[in-house]
């Protein structure tokens, strides 16, 4: 997989949930301003630093004296954090409403007591003869992106809205329609939003209804998003983006390079934000509904950062909804975390997110705007689609049948409907929307053709189709139980994996006695130094079947055993040393040994083993080992961060094994091995 390589920025990935149970990024709330991606101490100079607890005083599990290397190519997280300020939108009583000839043709007056965002509301206190109502506020701190949101239960009562903003020079912009967003997760949402609109630097905003509004419901909110501008040497405005020198594929500007906020740690139990088990089958093309006059890469990246903040805080999503974005110069930006390496299920085409890669063109390509995507932008879209689909052996220049995972707002199809679509389709093909715009949609056929050309260029070498799945079955058996598959096993699984992918075999292997026994034997040998007796082996298998522990919990269970304590030397200090060497693959520092030896007295062997085994450092060690076992290579820094976050959160290590076995990389390696 190709991308522009850069060292990852230091990021704190925390998680919280709002009152509705939606996953959100950990945030610091100051008034109604939500500051994304910045720890409390960074925001208020340390005033909100956490009090010392058992967790904060726990000794570090990282080697001492090693600092992360600086990388001047990466924006500083503290300066790129996006802020989302939310204010209420409310209609003024009739007796307090001024009447003008045309609310859209009159600039708001700058009175001495002008309402500001700090007042917490935009009051629609001006009406015209056509029954439209409007209101404005000033935002002295400035902003660049606007959007509206409201609870789904009042959706039918919310009138169509439009917005304009005032630039720093005092000039008001043209009006922009706040189009209701049909970007959504497959399961829908309790919140309805407009698409976010990037307006550039502004210090005032005016809202107006598009048509007559006899009533205006309570519950509508205006989001104002702001962030600083940064740039990266990885991007260009030349219109010609060079391919990555490191690998065969297009250059991709990583999340670290454009200053993304971290995704949440606990994205829920549905498929969204997780890898699709069957890989990628098609691509959904969008436009972001941002103005087309952004003039620099810094403005493009600012718009993307603001869109991510809007998706996370206004939509309540875990991350930005698109898998990739492409600006007018053809620069490709990584979207939802993990999308470069995995078929991440995003939130871009509700009901059709699973198995599709969502690619958004930064801009607006409607008839009203009168602008078409540039040739460079079309080429960038084709490159990333061709590259991603090629990794799953998919020819973009075909049609496919997708099954609607759900019916979302504006969707054309109901849950379970089977829909024939081009492998490269537009958002409007599945939803009642103009997206990707009337001037972009006719270009999709050409983008699809070009994507097919790039798919051939980027496709990994493969064995003949008739051999691929035999090789896959052999690899899974060898990697899982340490022996080759028999002819009967190959005959049993060949067709199944050709239809459903390697994940179906991985799932079955996890539940097989042969796999469980192999893992139990390996755990005994790595901890106690000998193989289990037949009685011990059958006892542990029975415990796994009953749910007493998982196959991944056998090893830490044995580390708690008095026999391991004795084998380690029979003292707390030698036991801690042995635990570090077994779990973290290194020796503890003198300080770590002393602290953890003391904790044995208060927490016992179980408490200490669990704390070490579940630490981020230990999870990272096991993620690296799993990649090495199944793919023969260590994970990239992004893959390591992604899977460490997941396993520390809600994922299991079995999920990682299934994901790797389901990947095109695993199939390609199986071909090379056999």
């Amino acid at each position: 997989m190709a991308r522009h390589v850069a060292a990852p920025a230091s990021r704190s990935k925390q998680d919280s949930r709002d009152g509705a149970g939606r996953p959100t990024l950990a945030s610091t709330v100051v008034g109604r301003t939500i500051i994304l991606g910045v720890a409390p101490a960074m925001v208020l100079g340390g005033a909100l630093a956490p009090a010392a607890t058992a967790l904060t005083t726990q000794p570090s599990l990282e080697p001492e004296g090693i600092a992360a290397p600086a990388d001047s190519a990466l924006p500083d997280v503290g300066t790129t954090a996006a802020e989302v300020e939310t204010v209420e939108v409310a209609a003024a009583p009739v007796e307090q409403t001024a009447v003008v000839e045309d609310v859209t043709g009159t600039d708001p007056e700058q009175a001495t007591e002008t309402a500001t965002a700090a007042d917490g509301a935009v009051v629609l206190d001006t009406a015209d003869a056509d029954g439209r109502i409007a209101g404005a506020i000033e935002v002295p701190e400035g902003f660049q992106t606007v959007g509206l949101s409201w609870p789904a239960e009042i959706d039918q009562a919310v009138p169509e809205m439009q917005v304009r903003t005032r630039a720093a020079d005092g000039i008001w912009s043209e009006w922009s329609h706040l189009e209701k967003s049909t970007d959504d997760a497959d399961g829908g949402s309790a919140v309805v939003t407009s698409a976010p609109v990037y307006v550039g630097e502004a210090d005032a905003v005016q809202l107006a209804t598009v048509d007559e509004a006899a009533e205006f419901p309570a519950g509508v909110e205006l989001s104002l998003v702001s962030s600083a501008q940064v740039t990266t040497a990885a991007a260009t405005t030349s219109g010609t983006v060079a391919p990555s020198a490191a690998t065969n594929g297009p250059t991709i500007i990583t999340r670290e390079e454009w200053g993304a906020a971290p995704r949440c740690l606990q994205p829920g139990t549905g498929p969204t934000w997780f890898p699709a088990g069957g890989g990628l089958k098609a691509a959904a093309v969008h436009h972001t509904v941002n103005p087309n006059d952004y003039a620099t890469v810094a403005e493009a990246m600012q718009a993307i950062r603001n869109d991510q903040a809007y998706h996370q805080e206004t939509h309540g999503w875990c991350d930005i909804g698109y898998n990739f974005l492409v600006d007018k110069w053809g620069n490709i930006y990584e979207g939802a975390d993990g999308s470069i390496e995995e078929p991440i299920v995003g939130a871009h085409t509700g009901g059709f997110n699973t198995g599709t890669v969502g690619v958004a063109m930064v801009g607006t390509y409607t008839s009203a705007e009168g602008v078409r995507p540039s040739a460079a932008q079309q080429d960038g879209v084709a490159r990333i689609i061709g590259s991603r689909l090629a990794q799953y052996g998919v020819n973009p220049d075909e049609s496919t049948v997708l099954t609607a995972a759900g019916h979302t707002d504006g969707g054309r199809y109901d849950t379970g409907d089977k829909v024939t679509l081009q492998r490269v389709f537009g958002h409007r093909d599945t939803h009642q929307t103009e997206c990707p715009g009337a001037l972009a949609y006719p270009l999709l056929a050409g983008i699809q053709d070009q994507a097919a050309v790039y798919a051939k260029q980027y496709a990994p070498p493969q064995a003949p189709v008739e051999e691929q799945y035999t090789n896959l079955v052999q690899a899974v058996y060898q990697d899982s139980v340490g022996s080759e598959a028999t002819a009967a096993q190959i005959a049993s699984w060949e067709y199944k994996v050709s239809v459903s992918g390697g994940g179906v075999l991985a799932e079955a292997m996890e539940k097989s006695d042969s796999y469980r026994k192999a893992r139990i034997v390996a755990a005994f040998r790595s901890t106690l130094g000998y193989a289990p007796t037949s009685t011990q082996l059958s006892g542990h298998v029975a415990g796994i079947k009953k749910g007493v522990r998982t196959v991944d919990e056998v090893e830490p269970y044995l580390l708690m055993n008095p026999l391991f304590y004795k084998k380690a030397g029979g003292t707390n200090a030698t036991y801690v040393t042995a635990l570090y060497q077994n779990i973290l693959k290194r020796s503890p520092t003198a300080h770590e040994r002393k602290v953890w030896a003391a904790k044995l007295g208060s927490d016992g062997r179980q408490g200490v083993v669990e704390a070490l085994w579940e630490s981020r450092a230990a999870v990272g060690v096991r993620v690296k080992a799993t990649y090495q076992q199944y793919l023969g290579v260590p994970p990239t820094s992004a893959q390591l961060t992604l899977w460490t976050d997941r396993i520390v959160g809600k994922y299991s290590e079995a999920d990682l094994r299934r994901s790797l076995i389901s990947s095109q990389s695993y199939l390609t390696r199986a071909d090379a091995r056999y």
Side-chain angles (χ1 to χ4, degrees):
M1 180 63 226
R3 65 172 169 181
H4 184 96
V5 179
S10 174
R11 298 187 292 179
S12 172
K13 294 195 176 186
Q14 302 175 358
D15 180 64
S16 62
R17 289 179 179 266
D18 63 15
R22 298 175 300 175
T24 62
L25 188 69
S27 55
T28 300
V29 180
V30 184
R32 300 212 62 194
T33 300
I34 301 167
I35 303 174
L36 297 175
V38 183
M42 294 172 66
V43 179
L44 298 180
L48 296 181
T53 65
L55 290 178
T56 59
T57 58
Q58 179 173 301
S60 169
L61 297 178
E62 301 299 335
E64 294 180 343
I66 298 178
D71 190 334
S72 60
L74 299 180
D76 178 68
V77 174
T79 63
T80 61
E83 297 183 7
V84 183
E85 186 166 11
T86 306
V87 298
E88 180 185 2
V89 181
V94 174
E95 61 273 14
Q96 298 177 19
T97 301
V99 178
V100 298
E101 182 178 349
D102 180 1
V103 294
T104 64
T106 306
D107 289 348
E109 296 182 3
Q110 291 185 283
T112 304
E113 298 295 329
T114 302
T116 69
D119 297 325
V122 180
V123 180
L124 306 178
D125 56 3
T126 306
D128 62 18
D130 292 328
R132 296 176 295 187
I133 54 177
I137 56 169
E138 295 197 356
V139 188
E141 299 83 4
F143 63 95
Q144 304 94 29
T145 296
V146 298
L148 292 175
S149 63
W150 55 91
E153 56 264 27
I154 67 168
D155 184 37
Q156 298 303 314
V158 178
E160 284 190 86
M161 301 293 292
Q162 54 189 328
V163 65
R164 64 173 175 168
T165 56
R166 188 182 68 198
D169 60 6
I171 304 299
W172 284 89
S173 69
E174 298 297 321
W175 287 93
S176 296
H177 181 221
L178 288 170
E179 179 182 350
K180 187 163 73 169
S181 175
T182 55
D183 296 343
D184 211 343
D186 285 345
S189 174
V191 177
V192 180
T193 73
S194 71
V197 176
Y198 180 79
V199 297
E201 296 295 338
D203 62 6
V205 58
Q206 184 181 24
L207 293 172
T209 59
V210 173
D211 301 307
E212 178 183 0
E215 295 182 353
F216 195 89
V220 179
E221 293 186 330
L222 172 69
S223 292
L224 303 167
V225 191
S226 60
S227 65
Q229 285 190 16
V230 297
T231 190
T232 173
T236 176
T237 57
S238 68
T240 303
V241 180
S244 168
T247 53
N248 178 38
T251 296
I252 300 173
I253 298 168
T254 65
R255 291 164 61 89
E256 288 84 3
E257 288 172 319
W258 60 260
R263 54 159 252 162
C264 70
L265 270 181
Q266 298 180 357
T269 58
T272 311
W273 317 119
F274 299 159
L280 293 176
K281 299 176 181 177
V285 180
H286 304 257
H287 64 169
T288 59
V289 201
N290 288 327
N292 300 301
D293 58 358
Y294 58 94
T296 65
V297 168
E299 287 185 332
M301 295 201 303
Q302 183 181 56
I304 294 170
R305 281 199 309 281
N306 289 3
D307 279 1
Q308 183 198 26
Y310 186 85
H311 285 181
Q312 289 181 309
E313 291 302 327
T314 302
H315 280 277
W317 294 344
C318 187
D319 204 345
I320 190 168
Y322 307 117
N323 299 106
F324 297 94
L325 302 96
V326 182
D327 68 22
K328 65 170 66 174
W329 302 287
N331 297 304
I332 303 168
Y333 302 84
E334 177 188 10
D337 204 352
S339 294
I340 291 177
E341 295 88 8
E342 307 213 53
I344 297 297
V345 179
H348 50 83
T349 313
F352 297 90
N353 292 307
T354 301
T356 63
V357 56
V359 181
M361 297 179 287
V362 181
T364 302
Y365 302 109
T366 61
S367 299
E369 286 293 319
V371 176
R372 288 162 42 113
S374 68
Q377 190 169 41
Q378 295 176 56
D379 185 68
V381 173
R383 282 179 182 271
I384 189 58
I385 290 174
S387 173
R388 292 303 293 135
L389 294 187
Q391 300 309 305
Y392 298 90
V394 172
N395 177 8
D397 204 13
E398 297 176 343
S399 62
T400 187
V401 177
L402 300 179
T403 302
H407 176 80
T408 57
D409 190 45
R412 298 180 184 272
Y413 301 101
D414 293 323
T415 304
D417 284 354
K418 295 187 180 300
V419 184
T420 299
L421 295 164
Q422 292 298 308
R423 296 276 191 188
V424 179
F425 66 92
H427 190 186
R428 64 165 60 182
D429 290 322
T430 59
H431 288 74
Q432 302 287 349
T433 176
E434 192 175 352
C435 182
L439 299 184
Y441 186 75
L443 304 176
L444 294 188
I447 290 173
Q448 182 174 15
D449 291 341
Q450 190 60 40
V453 174
Y454 285 127
K456 292 178 182 178
Q457 176 182 331
Y458 299 144
Q462 294 181 340
V465 173
E466 61 271 15
E467 296 179 12
Q468 286 183 7
Y469 301 110
T470 299
N471 296 342
L472 176 60
V473 174
Q474 284 284 24
V476 173
Y477 270 82
Q478 186 66 53
D479 292 338
S480 301
V481 299
S483 62
E484 291 189 355
T486 65
Q489 289 166 334
I490 291 173
S492 172
W493 283 106
E494 226 177 2
Y495 176 73
K496 294 176 185 176
V497 298
S498 71
V499 173
S500 303
V504 66
L505 177 53
E507 183 77 31
M509 190 63 74
E510 292 283 338
K511 298 176 182 178
S512 70
D513 282 357
S514 59
Y515 176 70
R516 290 166 174 166
K517 288 178 180 179
R519 289 292 306 278
I520 293 166
V521 170
F524 264 79
R525 285 177 172 159
S526 68
T527 56
L528 302 180
Y530 58 80
T533 65
S534 59
T535 301
Q536 290 171 325
L537 189 59
S538 60
H540 279 286
V541 170
I544 292 170
K545 288 181 177 179
K546 292 177 181 178
V548 175
R549 64 186 60 87
T550 69
V551 71
D552 293 304
E553 292 169 344
V554 173
E555 185 173 347
Y557 175 79
L558 295 175
L559 293 173
M560 303 171 196
N561 193 297
L563 291 175
F564 182 79
Y565 185 89
K566 182 178 179 180
K567 177 176 177 286
T571 70
N572 285 358
T574 58
Y575 179 61
V576 169
T577 298
L579 289 179
Y580 262 73
Q581 291 170 341
N582 188 283
I583 296 173
L584 296 168
K585 310 306 179 188
R586 68 175 178 88
S587 296
T589 65
H591 174 68
E592 289 169 335
R593 184 182 297 108
K594 179 180 178 180
V595 172
W596 284 108
K599 280 183 171 291
L600 283 168
S602 58
D603 299 349
R605 289 192 300 272
Q606 179 177 346
V608 169
V609 169
E610 287 179 348
L612 290 172
W613 187 265
E614 295 170 4
S615 68
R616 285 188 60 84
V619 171
V621 167
R622 298 198 298 277
V623 169
K624 291 178 183 178
T626 304
Y627 264 83
Q628 196 69 50
Q629 177 182 354
Y630 287 92
L631 297 186
V633 294
T636 65
S637 60
Q639 290 167 334
L640 178 60
T641 299
L642 178 70
W643 276 105
T644 300
D645 286 343
R646 287 174 175 170
I647 293 170
V648 168
K650 294 294 187 180
Y651 274 59
S652 70
E653 291 176 50
D655 292 325
L656 171 57
R657 291 190 289 273
R658 281 191 292 269
S659 177
L660 295 182
I661 291 173
S662 300
S663 69
Q664 182 66 31
S665 297
Y666 190 80
L667 181 61
T668 301
R669 183 171 184 248
D671 288 343
R673 291 165 67 185
Y674 298 100

